[in-house]
Amino acid sequence: MRLSRYFLPVLKETPSEAQIVSHRLMLRAGMIRQQAAGIYSWLPLGFKVLRRIEQIVHEEQQRAGHIPLLMPTLQPADLWRESGRYEAYGEEMLRIKDRHKRDLLYGPTNEEMITDIFRSHVSSYKDLPLTLYHIQWKFRDEIRPRFGVMRGREFLMKDGYNFDLTYEDAMHAYNRHLVSYLRSYERMGLQAIPMRAESGPIGGDDTHEFLVLAETGESEVFYDSEITDLRFGDRAIDYDDVAQCRAVLEEFTSRYARTDDTHDAAAFEAQVPEERRRSARGIEVGQIFYFGTKYSEPMGATVVNDKGERVPVHMGSHGIGVSRLLGAIIEASHDENGIIWPEGVTPFHAGIVNLKQGDGAADAACESLYSALKAKGLDPLYDDREERAGAKFATMDLIGLPWRITVGPRGLKNGVVELTSRRTGESEELSADAAVDRLAQIYAPHL
Amino acid sequence: MRLSRYFLPVLKETPSEAQIVSHRLMLRAGMIRQQAAGIYSWLPLGFKVLRRIEQIVHEEQQRAGHIPLLMPTLQPADLWRESGRYEAYGEEMLRIKDRHKRDLLYGPTNEEMITDIFRSHVSSYKDLPLTLYHIQWKFRDEIRPRFGVMRGREFLMKDGYNFDLTYEDAMHAYNRHLVSYLRSYERMGLQAIPMRAESGPIGGDDTHEFLVLAETGESEVFYDSEITDLRFGDRAIDYDDVAQCRAVLEEFTSRYARTDDTHDAAAFEAQVPEERRRSARGIEVGQIFYFGTKYSEPMGATVVNDKGERVPVHMGSHGIGVSRLLGAIIEASHDENGIIWPEGVTPFHAGIVNLKQGDGAADAACESLYSALKAKGLDPLYDDREERAGAKFATMDLIGLPWRITVGPRGLKNGVVELTSRRTGESEELSADAAVDRLAQIYAPHL
């Protein structure tokens, strides 16, 4: 993309309404615009990151064998009356009447609807196991929306639901989700720690939240410092292998790690040596639940088992806060000059800064670099505006592209451009070809 | 995807509520499920096609230089009060009150919001031309939703908005949209004819609708039969070239083609020789509008021009009915056995039918074919169920994959599999390798 033709409305001033850094930076970088309390437009740069995150979630869910579909944003109230949650959900549920005075609601989650889909179409244990998921806009009418997309009202969530014949099968689905979530977050450049948590209004016995450590987190968390050394990395995993998935769960959840809801000071002291006890703040970016037959029983989601008996299925639900992740990533990765995107989610792979727009050699070198990067499957942002170098650098720093290539007449005389890392600030002079090769290599795991 | 692990709830019986063939086939093929009147879940197969169509629209819009963003589904009523449409829109607008009794609405379209975004961030003619678009769920509270996704209440639409300094620039944007729409529909295997139309509640002077001819179309259309010979094809187009885009518009709109709203029998007779006069029914799958300063004036969307004067921008809006397109494509492409997907939008590129599941040689050949197709970047559906061949064929015909590879012990003895075209029904025996190569070649333009 050429910046002269893009729509990137960066703000010079820091908006006064934003209390936390990710909200400030998303506004300043022209990523979002508030349209009503807790309701945002995703401007082009924000939309690009949202799509990259969504894409990672899709890929990792499908790798785990989970099947995508798409449920609508609006739901009939009757489904929620069946489960008993229509009255129970309270004022966070946005209730709507259509022109025929029928009760609808804007879905805050989809247990009822997916259970309805299941019971209408599945009747034999032979069709299990089954995990269906979607990535769809949800609405929760928060009384005080704030922190930008971190606590918005209209938000994008991936929610997945497993249907299994037995408790054991459902626990395998639970573990599979844990593994796929670890992979997803790592691809986004995040460390998200599974912590034992309370189940909240969805209900459930076994549940872990995934928390990203950040000063602005809404939850206080307590954990064994050894946990932060764990990485899933690029190990191979067979999602059908029960023991393998369980081993990952055990590796990542055997050490003490809890949110304040479930924190037990005595257990913390008993289990963790003092020098490894940590308390910090965390941002919740996902949660996995096993809730058994809580919905399948009242809603009649049953299958016939191999003995010919009709039994309710074991279910769980598993969520990733897709839109909220943008805020979480920025909270975890920024400096005083702006955002620092991890390579896995950056809106553009590299910025090209032309130090002297209008100079024949500089323009030609930038054009050729731009084409060469695109030919490698990379997505560059070329700042071709007639602006001072300082202003161009400030924009690139603010919007946080991990790599910048600076092209100017002086370097070109020596046959070099400058490649700069946003994270370290380190620069290196090298030929344009070498810069392209380097970036292709850096991004190979992400393409 | 292996069918044994997929969720494809095909129906044996034809649902009685469905009045038109696309609705019947989408229900029978397990593509959608109605959740409330005019509100559908997109089951896995339907969701896949929806995504393919969405992807084509994204690619063609970006090729034309249009910039994606994403506006929320809910909008504040105040924006619509500014334009005067809040009261005017009538009962099709779904009006909502949140917990603080603030008026929201589920967006039926986005002229107001995009104009608000524009006026907040753009103030100079130097930032023009600009075309922003999104693909987002909309809601129109139809009094009598019907025909499945063809006339749903919650529906997915691409809506784009151009902002230009002058009428001439805006007309170039109009032409650019026309070209990009022709390309998009052709990639989906559709012929959609631009026809002069009425503007409806969005308002506007210049407007064309794109219609797919089909017996079940909601509009009566009148046209010169020469129009159906026109193809955009794979010609190169420079979207910045004003004359080139205008020439395409002229080529595709100079012959008589109108919907019943604008039909003029006298003009039809005067302009079209009798043997070329046609009347038929059509399904509207898109519309382009130029409406000048209808929104920019009341809402204050102005820029400073090169003389230092503040002037309202010229705008247009341009829509493609993404979810409705699934219905339109099926109406235009099916037979008595089911859907016939065009290659550009098919949910899976080919079906593999194993005639003898459990037979060592047949299973191995299918597995190897499955891997070979995936290695070519193709997305096969392997029917690995223990089912009769007839049932497997019926399912493949119903869900409409354009190509089927049939693998059985007898063919394997002769070193061949069978490649069958869904459209023609013609089969050919060839080696598995040759079948893979043939499919890779067929799909090369679509990958």
Side-chain angles (χ1 to χ4, degrees):
Chain A
M1 180 56 65
R2 292 162 205 278
L3 193 42
S4 65
R5 305 191 74 160
Y6 201 48
F7 180 59
L8 183 71
V10 299
L11 305 180
K12 294 236 168 56
E13 264 127 64
T14 297
S16 58
E17 77 269 27
Q19 299 167 39
I20 60 169
V21 66
S22 61
H23 189 192
R24 278 197 297 273
L25 287 174
M26 288 182 79
L27 290 167
R28 284 192 54 212
M31 294 179 65
I32 52 171
R33 171 174 173 73
Q34 182 170 302
Q35 303 291 168
I39 301 178
Y40 290 87
S41 281
W42 297 79
L43 302 181
L45 194 74
F47 176 62
K48 272 193 94 137
V49 181
L50 192 68
R51 290 282 281 193
R52 298 239 198 243
I53 291 175
E54 197 181 24
Q55 185 60 26
I56 289 173
V57 173
H58 269 304
E59 287 173 12
E60 293 302 329
Q61 287 308 299
Q62 290 175 47
R63 200 191 301 273
H66 305 158
I67 297 172
L69 45 55
L70 188 63
M71 290 173 273
T73 62
L74 298 193
Q75 305 185 17
D78 283 345
L79 270 182
W80 290 67
R81 293 195 176 103
E82 277 191 64
S83 72
R85 286 207 294 179
Y86 187 62
E87 300 309 327
Y89 214 93
E91 286 205 88
E92 276 194 18
M93 177 184 279
L94 188 67
R95 292 155 211 263
I96 303 170
K97 274 196 196 297
D98 71 10
R99 68 191 295 172
H100 298 299
K101 307 296 172 216
R102 284 177 295 216
D103 289 319
L104 298 173
L105 56 96
Y106 201 121
T109 175
N110 285 68
E111 281 79 9
E112 282 79 359
M113 191 173 278
I114 199 79
T115 305
D116 174 58
I117 290 172
F118 180 88
R119 71 180 173 186
S120 308
H121 294 297
V122 181
S123 57
S124 163
Y125 75 101
K126 290 182 187 163
D127 294 325
L128 305 183
L130 179 65
T131 294
L132 300 169
Y133 78 92
H134 74 160
I135 301 180
Q136 178 60 294
W137 292 92
K138 310 285 191 296
F139 200 91
R140 289 186 194 161
D141 203 358
E142 299 266 357
I143 190 159
R144 225 170 287 106
R146 61 207 149 123
F147 304 153
V149 301
M150 294 272 279
R151 205 171 192 83
R153 293 197 292 169
E154 185 170 327
F155 61 98
L156 189 61
M157 191 166 95
K158 170 259 159 183
D159 41 324
Y161 306 88
N162 67 287
F163 300 90
D164 287 281
L165 184 62
T166 64
Y167 170 78
E168 290 70 28
D169 290 351
M171 288 317 292
H172 175 54
Y174 187 92
N175 301 344
R176 217 169 49 223
H177 278 90
L178 181 127
V179 177
S180 70
Y181 280 27
L182 290 172
R183 284 185 63 112
S184 303
Y185 296 126
E186 285 192 12
R187 281 185 62 184
M188 297 172 200
L190 276 182
Q191 181 171 41
I193 303 170
M195 300 195 180
R196 185 155 291 283
E198 285 274 29
S199 62
I202 291 183
D205 307 319
D206 283 282
T207 176
H208 283 91
E209 280 182 3
F210 289 78
L211 285 111
V212 174
L213 300 179
E215 283 165 25
T216 48
E218 73 272 58
S219 315
E220 194 172 7
V221 298
F222 302 86
Y223 60 94
D224 180 337
S225 67
E226 282 191 350
I227 279 183
T228 54
D229 297 330
L230 298 175
R231 294 287 178 283
F232 187 80
D234 57 0
R235 61 181 100 168
I237 183 97
D238 174 355
Y239 279 106
D240 289 334
D241 186 325
V242 170
Q244 220 183 84
C245 291
R246 189 192 303 131
V248 176
L249 175 99
E250 278 161 13
E251 177 185 348
F252 280 83
T253 64
S254 60
R255 292 176 186 79
Y256 191 98
R258 296 196 185 179
T259 62
D260 43 7
D261 291 334
T262 55
H263 178 54
D264 174 341
F268 194 34
E269 286 184 26
Q271 291 170 30
V272 188
E274 190 170 5
E275 69 278 11
R276 297 200 329 238
R277 276 179 228 147
R278 297 283 185 282
S279 80
R281 303 208 62 90
I283 300 169
E284 190 208 325
V285 292
Q287 188 157 7
I288 53 177
F289 285 106
Y290 163 74
F291 49 66
T293 60
K294 178 178 159 69
Y295 297 92
S296 56
E297 283 205 67
M299 295 186 66
T302 59
V303 292
V304 173
N305 68 16
D306 61 353
K307 302 189 190 77
E309 302 154 347
R310 188 163 279 281
V311 294
V313 291
H314 288 256
M315 292 174 57
S317 74
H318 314 280
I320 291 182
V322 173
S323 50
R324 139 174 284 235
L325 269 165
L326 278 90
I329 292 169
I330 296 173
E331 290 292 335
S333 184
H334 66 271
D335 65 14
E336 65 281 11
N337 297 320
I339 302 165
I340 306 173
W341 291 114
E343 271 90 359
V345 300
T346 183
F348 294 100
H349 294 123
I352 303 172
V353 169
N354 187 342
L355 291 177
K356 201 165 179 188
Q357 200 70 37
D359 174 272
D363 290 3
C366 286
E367 289 294 337
S368 131
L369 200 49
Y370 182 67
S371 305
L373 289 167
K374 293 217 287 186
K376 294 276 188 189
L378 297 172
D379 187 6
L381 178 67
Y382 170 23
D383 190 344
D384 58 344
R385 298 169 307 160
E386 293 190 13
E387 274 279 4
R388 290 177 305 106
K392 290 187 175 187
F393 291 154
T395 298
M396 287 293 177
D397 283 354
L398 174 61
I399 68 173
L401 308 188
W403 298 95
R404 188 184 78 209
I405 307 178
T406 310
V407 178
R410 201 177 321 160
L412 290 175
K413 271 187 202 142
N414 302 320
V416 294
V417 298
E418 192 182 61
L419 181 66
T420 307
S421 158
R422 173 70 181 88
R423 192 171 292 280
T424 66
E426 281 165 25
S427 287
E428 185 185 351
E429 293 198 331
L430 69 188
S431 74
D433 287 350
V436 171
D437 289 343
R438 179 77 58 82
L439 289 172
Q441 205 176 359
I442 289 168
Y443 281 105
H446 301 287
L447 293 182
Chain B
M1 180 57 65
R2 291 162 206 276
L3 192 42
S4 64
R5 306 190 73 160
Y6 200 47
F7 180 60
L8 182 71
V10 300
L11 306 181
K12 295 235 167 57
E13 265 127 63
T14 297
S16 59
E17 77 267 29
Q19 299 168 39
I20 62 171
V21 66
S22 60
H23 190 192
R24 278 197 296 274
L25 287 174
M26 289 182 79
L27 289 168
R28 284 192 53 212
M31 295 179 64
I32 52 172
R33 171 174 172 74
Q34 181 170 300
Q35 304 291 169
I39 301 179
Y40 290 87
S41 282
W42 297 79
L43 302 181
L45 194 76
F47 176 62
K48 274 194 92 141
V49 181
L50 192 69
R51 289 283 281 196
R52 298 238 197 241
I53 292 175
E54 196 181 26
Q55 184 61 27
I56 289 173
V57 174
H58 268 304
E59 286 173 13
E60 293 303 328
Q61 287 308 299
Q62 290 175 48
R63 202 192 301 273
H66 306 158
I67 298 171
L69 46 54
L70 187 63
M71 291 173 273
T73 61
L74 298 193
Q75 306 186 15
D78 282 345
L79 270 181
W80 290 67
R81 293 194 176 104
E82 276 190 64
S83 72
R85 286 208 293 180
Y86 188 62
E87 300 309 327
Y89 214 92
E91 287 205 88
E92 276 195 17
M93 176 184 281
L94 188 67
R95 292 156 211 262
I96 303 170
K97 275 198 196 295
D98 71 10
R99 67 191 294 172
H100 299 298
K101 308 294 170 214
R102 283 176 297 215
D103 289 320
L104 299 173
L105 56 96
Y106 201 120
T109 175
N110 285 67
E111 282 78 9
E112 283 78 359
M113 192 175 277
I114 199 79
T115 305
D116 174 58
I117 290 172
F118 181 88
R119 72 182 173 185
S120 309
H121 294 296
V122 181
S123 57
S124 164
Y125 75 101
K126 291 182 187 162
D127 295 324
L128 304 183
L130 179 64
T131 294
L132 300 170
Y133 79 93
H134 73 160
I135 302 179
Q136 178 61 295
W137 292 93
K138 311 284 192 296
F139 200 92
R140 288 185 196 163
D141 203 357
E142 300 266 356
I143 191 160
R144 226 170 288 105
R146 61 206 151 127
F147 304 153
V149 301
M150 294 273 281
R151 205 173 192 82
R153 294 198 292 169
E154 185 170 329
F155 61 98
L156 189 61
M157 190 167 94
K158 171 260 159 183
D159 41 322
Y161 305 88
N162 67 286
F163 301 90
D164 287 282
L165 185 61
T166 64
Y167 170 78
E168 290 70 26
D169 290 350
M171 288 317 292
H172 175 54
Y174 186 91
N175 301 345
R176 218 169 50 224
H177 278 90
L178 181 126
V179 178
S180 69
Y181 281 25
L182 291 172
R183 285 185 61 113
S184 304
Y185 296 125
E186 285 192 11
R187 281 186 61 186
M188 298 172 201
L190 276 183
Q191 180 170 42
I193 303 170
M195 299 196 180
R196 186 154 292 280
E198 284 276 28
S199 61
I202 291 182
D205 306 320
D206 283 282
T207 176
H208 283 90
E209 280 182 2
F210 289 78
L211 285 111
V212 174
L213 301 179
E215 284 166 25
T216 48
E218 72 272 58
S219 316
E220 193 172 8
V221 299
F222 303 85
Y223 61 94
D224 179 338
S225 67
E226 283 191 350
I227 278 185
T228 54
D229 298 331
L230 297 174
R231 294 288 178 280
F232 187 80
D234 57 0
R235 61 180 100 170
I237 183 96
D238 174 356
Y239 279 106
D240 290 333
D241 186 323
V242 171
Q244 219 183 86
C245 290
R246 190 191 303 128
V248 176
L249 174 99
E250 278 161 14
E251 177 185 348
F252 280 82
T253 65
S254 60
R255 291 174 187 79
Y256 191 98
R258 297 197 185 179
T259 61
D260 44 9
D261 291 336
T262 56
H263 178 53
D264 174 341
F268 193 36
E269 286 183 25
Q271 291 170 32
V272 187
E274 189 170 6
E275 68 280 11
R276 297 200 331 237
R277 278 179 226 148
R278 297 284 184 283
S279 78
R281 304 208 62 91
I283 300 169
E284 191 208 325
V285 292
Q287 187 157 7
I288 54 177
F289 284 105
Y290 163 74
F291 50 66
T293 60
K294 178 177 159 69
Y295 296 92
S296 56
E297 282 203 69
M299 295 186 66
T302 59
V303 292
V304 174
N305 68 15
D306 62 351
K307 302 187 190 78
E309 301 155 347
R310 188 164 279 281
V311 294
V313 291
H314 288 256
M315 292 174 58
S317 74
H318 314 282
I320 292 182
V322 174
S323 49
R324 136 175 287 236
L325 268 164
L326 278 91
I329 293 169
I330 296 172
E331 290 293 334
S333 184
H334 67 271
D335 65 15
E336 66 282 9
N337 297 319
I339 302 165
I340 305 172
W341 291 115
E343 272 91 358
V345 300
T346 183
F348 294 99
H349 294 122
I352 303 172
V353 168
N354 187 342
L355 290 178
K356 200 166 180 190
Q357 201 69 38
D359 174 272
D363 290 2
C366 287
E367 289 294 336
S368 133
L369 201 49
Y370 183 67
S371 304
L373 289 167
K374 293 217 288 186
K376 295 276 189 189
L378 297 172
D379 188 4
L381 178 67
Y382 170 24
D383 190 343
D384 59 344
R385 299 170 306 161
E386 293 190 13
E387 274 278 5
R388 291 176 305 108
K392 291 187 175 187
F393 291 154
T395 298
M396 287 294 176
D397 283 354
L398 174 62
I399 69 172
L401 308 189
W403 298 94
R404 188 186 77 208
I405 308 179
T406 309
V407 179
R410 200 178 324 160
L412 290 176
K413 270 186 203 144
N414 302 320
V416 295
V417 299
E418 193 183 60
L419 181 65
T420 307
S421 158
R422 173 71 182 85
R423 190 170 295 279
T424 66
E426 282 166 24
S427 288
E428 186 186 350
E429 293 199 330
L430 70 187
S431 74
D433 286 352
V436 171
D437 288 343
R438 178 79 58 81
L439 289 172
Q441 204 177 358
I442 288 168
Y443 282 105
H446 301 287
L447 294 181

